[in-house]
Amino acid sequence: MKLTVTLALLSVAISIVEAQAEINLTVPRVPEQNDYPPNGPQLPASPPPNKTYEYIIVGSGAGGSPLAARLALAGHSVLLIDAGGDYSTLREVEVPSLYIGASERNELSWGYFVRHYDNDTQAKRDKKLTYLTPDGEYYSGVSPPEGSEMLGNYYPRVGGLGGCTEHLALLPITPAKNDWNYIKELTGDPNWDAENMRGYFRKLERNQYLSPIEDVTRAHGFNGWLSTTIEPLALYVPDLKMVSIFLSAATSMGIQTDNILNTTRKLISSFADKVLPSNYTAQIAEKMTKLFEYDINNDSPNRDSTDALSRIPLSVSSPDWKRSSPRNWVYEIATAKNADGSKKYALDIALNTLVTKVTFDTASAAKPRATGIDYLYGESLYRADPRASATGDAGAPGSVTATREVVVAGGTFNTPQILKLSGVGPAAELAALSIPVIKDLPGVGTNLQDRYEVGVSAAASTNFTLFKECTFITTPDDPCYASWAHQPSPNPLAHGPYATNGIAIGLFARSSAAGPDHDLWIGGVPGLFQGYFPGMSRTVVTPRAKNYFTWLVLKAHSRNNAGTVTLKSADPRDTPHIAFHSFGEGGDAARQSDARKDLRAAVEGMRWGIKVFDNVVMLQPGERLERVWPPANVSTDEELEQWVRDEAWGHHASCTCPIGADDDPMAVLDGQFRVRGVDGLRVVDASAFPKIPGTFPVMAIYMLAEKAAEDILSDAK
Ligand SMILES: Cc1cc2nc3c(=O)[nH]c(=O)nc-3n(C[C@H](O)[C@H](O)[C@H](O)COP(=O)(O)OP(=O)(O)OC[C@H]3O[C@@H](n4cnc5c(N)ncnc54)[C@H](O)[C@@H]3O)c2cc1C
Ligand SMILES: *[C@@H]1O[C@H](CO)[C@@H](O)[C@H](O)[C@H]1NC(C)=O
Ligand SMILES: *[C@@H]1O[C@H](CO)[C@@H](O)[C@H](O)[C@H]1NC(C)=O
Ligand SMILES: *[C@@H]1O[C@H](CO)[C@@H](O)[C@H](O)[C@H]1NC(C)=O
Ligand SMILES: *[C@@H]1O[C@H](CO)[C@@H](O)[C@H](O)[C@H]1NC(C)=O
Ligand SMILES: *[C@@H]1O[C@H](CO)[C@@H](O)[C@H](O)[C@H]1NC(C)=O
Ligand SMILES: *[C@@H]1O[C@H](CO)[C@@H](O)[C@H](O)[C@H]1NC(C)=O
Ligand SMILES: *[C@@H]1O[C@H](CO)[C@@H](O)[C@H](O)[C@H]1NC(C)=O
């Protein structure tokens, strides 16, 4: 049954039924595109120059870009390669509130279709499962048109300069200390110690929301390359429905909210149905900010285990309130000039350059040694790109030589694909595709991990006011865009609602099935967030449906590591087969027991969200809030567990080329990111983690990249 139909059957408020047309998972194959010109310069694409480099880095995402920047700053010649182009000054990329749209901009998008389960019967229960219909459209739902081909679950990535840092949701959250100390134990490399890793965070952060004096745990950095600000809660306060929900969340955590409720009630009593004057909202905002002012990136000993409902730091810079990412940093370094106009750093960036393999010298040393890469130059060559054709232009081939090292940083799906295409991976899989084996490394493409995410959504009887005027750039005169772009100001309020990514507060908590650290993050999203399917960027918040609120439940430190990335063919333009085997699919009793713990945690997270909705005290008379997703008839623990099995998705895929112990045959990397069994080759990206870290990965990847830079530079001495 299609989602539209399911919802229509619910006897809910008229507003919800009216809005149901928005929850239509049958969407055009390519979502409608905006055509606003970029806001600033973007790097033009060109193939690699005919030069030799000391280092070649493949992939410019969270791992590759910071590493390239550090090596270039240290005086080395570096070629940073990406298969996509630079689209980093498009509105969807720069504007915090529009980040979901960035995932489906054709120029940036790499859309994969993955399998959560091999078991088709189970897979088909997912209302987001996508098929290609005989008409060439995408259909997502449980009753595909006759003759449709099952594709899998849509998994958005960015193929372009900056990688997924150009569409990520702007949450730069440090991982748990145990995540680092675990790698220290595994490898015996003391530099993985959490204290040392914190040093890299300080080095890379440019904190713009605290003063060094307020930074009581000395957690932060103030001069790095990644700007961080904090959610401007004051933006939300004029929206009393939002305030009502946040206070309900606080109450559920045992936080005393009487005082602020009473103050707010008293203040608004004389302004019923009117907009509150700013001196009234300022008072409420101050109290709200106090309530949630806990800094989740603090460095206190109990930070990882203490439940906290807090404001969310953002990788957004002040005073322009734009996305901050490593793309900006490598762009600056690659374009920096000396006084005489010559290039300041030996960093070149080759775009639209799809690396097809790492080349090796197998003759002159004991171990095969990486010597460079082969590539194809051309736009949209990779078939995850919605503009790629199955048969068309195959690109212009070329190769580049590295005198010191090649570093692969193509991300969790592409790094194992590139290694395998190069002959580094499980021998049998390579042999079956006639790929000459350089090094039999059985761990490549195994150990794939992700979080489990699921949303609990409610509909309010009227629209939220935060995004009231916003058209989400579907019109040329979007007033919210105009106020965001207006003028630089350190005060986010001057930039209006687009200065927030919409995720005002989040709960970091331990479920009853947790280890020592947070295993749940539950974030408040003013929209209808049901996971990823083609076209989803057009359904989360729309000009017509602004009355939804979702508690997004994210199960962290998930236990399943049975996922795989395997080659479908030896054609480097093809995407690999990505199978998660969620919830221990096909595993033994131990895996099933792990799966039950993860399910239990996810259900506890959902129950928290449901409770917050159920107990909400609406500040405005006559307002109602009703849970709509999952539908109210999904209510027992058993039903919720089944819902999680059917509907949970992830978007933090990691761990497919894991660092491991010397005696572990499945270890792909050593503690300094070197690919085992070959020379001159490292992997520096999300695939390097042995276990998925923290609640969000990107800060951990930035820190890891900083460590890799030190490791590489110390070997170069
Ligand atoms: C929608 C979404 C939202 C997210 N939000 C957050 C968030 O708020 N906070 C957070 O912590 N994390 C978030 N993440 C996760 C985070 O973005 C990723 O974990 C992180 O970017 C991974 O970094 P990476 O370097 O491993 O790979 P990527 O960032 O994916 O970079 C890989 C790069 O390699 C290039 N490449 C791949 N193959 C080739 C090839 N053969 N030749 C040349 N180039 C190649 C790609 O084009 C890409 O640019 C989000 C992810 C998604 C999908
Ligand atoms: C869903 O969207 C598709 C494509 O936009 C449209 O053809 C179809 O009529 C819609 N279905 C419903 C039930 O609104
Ligand atoms: C690259 O440079 C080398 C030496 O400078 C030259 O011999 C070769 O022809 C060049 N290749 C291309 C494709 O321009
Ligand atoms: C496949 O999934 C269905 C639905 O969850 C389940 O009933 C069935 O037992 C599964 N089959 C196997 C072989 O595990
Ligand atoms: C808030 O108002 C309620 C009801 O009027 C009252 O019982 C309570 O004491 C007040 N709390 C505070 C902190 O003022
Ligand atoms: C807000 O300002 C108005 C006039 O500027 C004043 O009359 C009112 O008392 C102020 N209210 C509060 C709560 O500060
Ligand atoms: C929200 O606003 C839109 C656009 O003005 C309107 O069509 C819709 O009915 C409103 N929804 C509710 C629930 O008030
Ligand atoms: C809930 O109701 C929908 C629509 O009637 C139905 O399809 C679904 O099976 C029900 N779910 C449960 C768990 O009862």
Side-chain angles (χ1 to χ4, degrees):
M1 184 181 301
K2 224 167 57 188
L3 202 51
T4 35
V5 182
T6 315
L7 270 185
L9 288 176
L10 294 171
S11 53
V12 289
I14 286 174
S15 58
I16 296 160
V17 178
E18 261 172 15
Q20 53 104 351
E22 300 292 338
I23 315 170
N24 176 356
L25 302 192
T26 311
V27 292
R29 186 166 180 152
V30 177
E32 196 187 318
Q33 301 286 302
N34 296 306
D35 58 2
Y36 298 103
N39 281 332
Q42 301 181 144
L43 210 63
S46 59
N50 184 13
K51 274 165 57 178
T52 292
Y53 294 85
E54 288 176 279
Y55 297 99
I56 296 176
I57 299 176
V58 181
S60 64
S65 277
L67 177 62
R70 286 286 177 222
L71 297 182
L73 288 176
H76 293 284
S77 68
V78 179
L79 177 66
L80 177 63
I81 305 182
D82 208 282
D86 179 18
Y87 295 99
S88 311
T89 59
L90 293 179
R91 294 181 181 192
E92 290 90 336
V93 176
E94 286 194 335
V95 180
S97 282
L98 301 180
Y99 75 90
I100 291 168
S103 289
E104 292 191 304
R105 274 299 298 231
N106 282 344
E107 300 93 324
L108 302 165
S109 162
W110 272 10
Y112 294 81
F113 288 98
V114 306
R115 292 297 299 258
H116 291 167
Y117 300 99
D118 273 355
N119 177 343
D120 280 0
T121 315
Q122 177 58 49
K124 286 176 177 172
R125 295 175 61 94
D126 190 336
K127 298 178 180 59
K128 303 177 299 305
L129 191 72
T130 301
Y131 300 76
L132 190 59
T133 70
D135 298 340
E137 294 290 304
Y138 287 144
Y139 166 89
S140 306
V142 292
S143 37
E146 186 74 31
S148 298
E149 177 201 346
M150 188 210 285
L151 297 175
N153 278 94
Y154 177 67
Y155 204 115
R157 307 290 293 179
V158 165
L161 186 60
C164 292
T165 71
E166 298 303 290
H167 73 153
L168 60 74
L170 305 162
L171 282 83
I173 313 292
T174 52
K177 294 186 203 304
N178 286 322
D179 294 327
W180 297 130
N181 292 336
Y182 171 73
I183 308 181
K184 180 180 71 172
E185 301 304 320
L186 207 58
T187 61
D189 175 352
N191 288 342
W192 285 108
D193 185 87
E195 282 314 305
N196 187 56
M197 296 305 291
R198 177 56 73 164
Y200 300 124
F201 173 73
R202 290 192 199 98
K203 186 174 178 183
L204 72 89
E205 187 188 27
R206 180 184 183 80
N207 187 299
Q208 298 188 291
Y209 66 90
L210 291 176
S211 69
I213 293 159
E214 289 167 309
D215 178 19
V216 289
T217 62
R218 296 186 184 283
H220 291 278
F222 297 87
N223 301 302
W225 53 265
L226 186 82
S227 293
T228 59
T229 47
I230 197 131
E231 275 294 350
L233 269 182
L235 269 172
Y236 292 79
V237 164
D239 193 330
L240 291 173
K241 280 193 287 291
M242 215 79 91
V243 173
S244 309
I245 296 173
F246 296 162
L247 292 180
S248 177
T251 309
S252 84
M253 299 303 293
I255 299 170
Q256 184 52 252
T257 57
D258 250 24
N259 179 3
I260 179 165
L261 261 171
N262 289 5
T263 310
T264 310
R265 282 225 174 85
K266 209 167 103 210
L267 287 174
I268 65 173
S269 59
S270 50
F271 283 95
D273 294 320
K274 292 193 208 107
V275 176
L276 292 181
S278 58
N279 59 347
Y280 285 69
T281 54
Q283 277 192 44
I284 307 171
E286 204 188 303
K287 286 188 194 294
M288 290 278 289
T289 303
K290 271 252 154 353
L291 215 54
F292 302 118
E293 81 183 342
Y294 181 78
D295 171 29
I296 190 61
N297 279 346
N298 76 73
D299 194 28
S300 68
N302 302 328
R303 177 268 189 183
D304 304 333
S305 55
T306 309
D307 289 0
L309 186 61
S310 81
R311 291 194 295 172
I312 305 292
L314 297 176
S315 47
V316 165
S317 56
S318 170
D320 53 4
W321 291 81
K322 285 183 181 166
R323 173 183 298 270
S324 175
S325 81
R327 174 271 175 193
N328 303 342
W329 196 30
V330 286
Y331 179 88
E332 273 168 32
I333 294 171
T335 56
K337 299 268 195 296
N338 293 311
D340 65 358
S342 61
K343 220 169 143 62
K344 189 164 178 192
Y345 300 102
L347 171 64
D348 289 335
I349 301 180
L351 299 175
N352 288 355
T353 303
L354 179 72
V355 170
T356 56
K357 65 194 271 211
V358 177
T359 53
F360 288 93
D361 173 0
T362 51
S364 54
K367 280 191 205 169
R369 179 170 186 89
T371 54
I373 55 96
D374 286 350
Y375 66 83
L376 294 171
Y377 178 73
E379 196 172 24
S380 304
L381 295 178
Y382 195 56
R383 294 189 178 110
D385 183 322
R387 302 165 301 168
S389 87
T391 51
D393 176 22
S399 51
V400 197
T401 300
T403 56
R404 286 184 185 272
E405 296 195 40
V406 175
V407 180
V408 181
T412 298
F413 301 150
N414 290 79
T415 289
Q417 180 180 20
I418 295 165
L419 291 186
K420 287 180 181 182
L421 291 171
S422 313
V424 176
E429 185 187 342
L430 306 187
L433 292 169
S434 308
I435 298 170
V437 177
I438 298 286
K439 171 69 193 166
D440 178 13
L441 214 49
V444 176
T446 65
N447 192 49
L448 170 63
Q449 302 176 32
D450 209 336
R451 298 190 222 290
Y452 298 115
E453 290 165 60
V454 62
V456 182
S457 305
S461 41
T462 59
N463 284 326
F464 287 99
T465 55
L466 175 65
F467 292 121
K468 188 159 172 263
E469 308 296 334
C470 310
T471 71
F472 303 101
I473 63 169
T474 57
T475 59
D477 58 349
D478 181 352
C480 299
Y481 179 76
S483 66
W484 175 81
H486 186 229
Q487 60 191 356
S489 164
N491 179 4
L493 299 185
H495 295 270
Y498 283 0
T500 164
N501 67 348
I503 307 170
I505 60 168
L507 172 66
F508 296 82
R510 289 178 62 239
S511 75
S512 69
D517 303 319
H518 298 146
D519 70 337
L520 283 175
W521 177 78
I522 306 173
V525 182
L528 185 68
F529 201 100
Q530 298 158 313
Y532 295 99
F533 48 90
M536 63 76 64
S537 64
R538 295 278 163 155
T539 64
V540 176
V541 217
T542 75
R544 288 201 299 119
K546 296 176 181 168
N547 62 324
Y548 293 103
F549 190 97
T550 298
W551 285 113
L552 192 55
V553 176
L554 195 152
K555 166 69 182 86
H557 289 117
S558 42
R559 295 165 172 88
N560 182 39
N561 67 350
T564 55
V565 175
T566 49
L567 295 180
K568 281 194 289 215
S569 81
D571 182 348
R573 298 179 57 205
D574 278 344
T575 57
H577 180 70
I578 299 160
F580 283 94
H581 302 292
S582 294
F583 296 108
E585 181 186 37
D588 58 14
R591 282 196 191 278
Q592 298 312 316
S593 148
D594 280 352
R596 278 193 299 275
K597 288 180 194 154
D598 283 355
L599 278 170
R600 173 147 48 100
V603 167
E604 282 174 24
M606 292 180 82
R607 285 233 174 272
W608 182 82
I610 292 169
K611 187 171 82 186
V612 171
F613 288 144
D614 287 351
N615 294 349
V616 75
V617 178
M618 295 307 262
L619 283 159
Q620 284 152 311
E623 286 284 1
R624 279 166 303 116
L625 187 73
E626 242 168 307
R627 194 229 310 186
V628 293
W629 200 255
N633 67 346
V634 180
S635 60
T636 66
D637 279 352
E638 220 174 17
E639 287 160 352
L640 286 168
E641 274 193 18
Q642 187 62 47
W643 182 270
V644 175
R645 267 190 203 278
D646 297 349
E647 293 289 331
W649 69 89
H651 70 297
H652 292 164
S654 311
C655 309
T656 50
C657 296
I659 291 170
D662 288 344
D663 61 356
D664 177 358
M666 297 306 276
V668 174
L669 309 177
D670 71 11
Q672 290 81 46
F673 309 91
R674 298 185 199 95
V675 177
R676 291 181 178 273
V678 299
D679 278 332
L681 182 63
R682 305 199 205 215
V683 166
V684 179
D685 62 15
S687 54
F689 291 106
K691 277 190 191 173
I692 189 167
T695 47
F696 288 85
V698 84
M699 185 52 79
I701 302 168
Y702 293 155
M703 293 160 76
L704 168 148
E706 293 281 359
K707 178 184 187 294
E710 265 189 22
D711 289 343
I712 292 172
L713 289 172
S714 85
D715 277 6
K717 276 188 193 132

